[in-house]
Amino acid sequence: MTAIEVDNLSHVYAGAEGGVPALQDISMSVGVGRFVVIVGPSGCGKTSLLMMMAGLRQQTEGKILCYGRPIPKPDPERVGVIFQEASLFPWLSTLDNIEFPLSLRGTPREERRRRSQAMLSLVGLDGFGARYHHELSGGMKQRVSIARGLVQDPPVLLMDEPFAALDEQTRMTMGHEL
């Protein structure tokens, strides 16, 4: 079974003189349970491709299927995303930030709390559940974002350099846990 299928995908960012081509004629297939890394220099379109695979940006040409169905808009039931930079709600505590996607799905509070606490432990932030955005270091904020992405347990998890803001020791630990 194929989790993600990209077929003849191209994308041009609108702009002067016909726009800026970001991707051209990309095709790939990712099987269920596979771990795939997309490597390339800065500015080559890796993030653009991930955003299209997540339904956060539309391609100019081609198609993207997730489990055999198009993904024209975000669908957290099928695809989760962990971004390069922490994207936390500053008015929510650490634990509430991790729980947020589960609350959108209507997950019962006890289950949300149990799963979120487990993710907090996984990313090494036990004891920081009641802390707020301004009380965390940059690396801690990113680990909260990672926990929020993992707590959803989506069939497809797209990660856009989520460990870049972490120190080497924490990066190694997070890579091992992943």
Side-chain angles (χ1 to χ4, degrees):
M1 170 156 256
T2 302
I4 294 281
E5 183 178 340
V6 177
D7 187 36
N8 297 314
L9 181 129
S10 294
H11 186 69
V12 176
Y13 286 101
E17 300 177 27
V20 178
L23 298 165
Q24 185 173 2
D25 197 27
I26 304 293
S27 293
M28 64 185 269
S29 181
V30 179
V32 173
R34 302 296 299 182
F35 189 98
V36 175
V37 178
I38 299 171
V39 179
S42 179
C44 75
K46 299 179 303 288
T47 297
S48 295
L49 177 59
L50 290 177
M51 294 303 102
M52 288 175 221
M53 291 166 66
L56 294 166
R57 181 173 294 145
Q58 293 305 304
Q59 63 271 19
T60 306
E61 294 179 26
K63 69 177 179 176
I64 299 173
L65 300 177
C66 180
Y67 286 91
R69 296 187 345 253
I71 186 145
K73 62 181 182 174
D75 184 352
E77 296 293 329
R78 291 190 288 161
V79 179
V81 182
I82 301 175
F83 298 99
Q84 287 181 31
E85 297 177 14
S87 53
L88 304 179
F89 298 115
W91 58 89
L92 295 179
S93 70
T94 296
L95 203 53
D96 290 337
N97 262 289
I98 297 170
E99 284 185 12
F100 184 74
L102 298 177
S103 67
L104 291 177
R105 291 184 183 173
T107 304
R109 182 161 177 73
E110 302 78 36
E111 182 181 346
R112 284 195 324 251
R113 191 54 47 129
R114 179 186 55 74
R115 288 172 60 183
S116 298
Q117 193 64 54
M119 287 300 114
L120 198 62
S121 291
L122 181 77
V123 299
L125 290 175
D126 278 323
F128 288 90
R131 302 291 178 135
Y132 286 85
H133 179 268
H134 68 277
E135 298 175 297
L136 304 174
S137 72
M140 293 167 88
K141 291 173 190 174
Q142 187 60 20
R143 286 188 279 161
V144 174
S145 287
I146 291 167
R148 186 173 58 198
L150 294 175
V151 77
Q152 299 174 68
D153 196 25
V156 172
L157 181 62
L158 303 172
M159 301 190 320
D160 190 7
E161 301 183 47
F163 303 153
L166 304 178
D167 62 86
E168 186 62 29
Q169 182 177 354
T170 305
R171 188 177 307 131
M172 296 287 286
T173 301
M174 293 292 94
H176 175 73
E177 291 298 341
L178 179 63

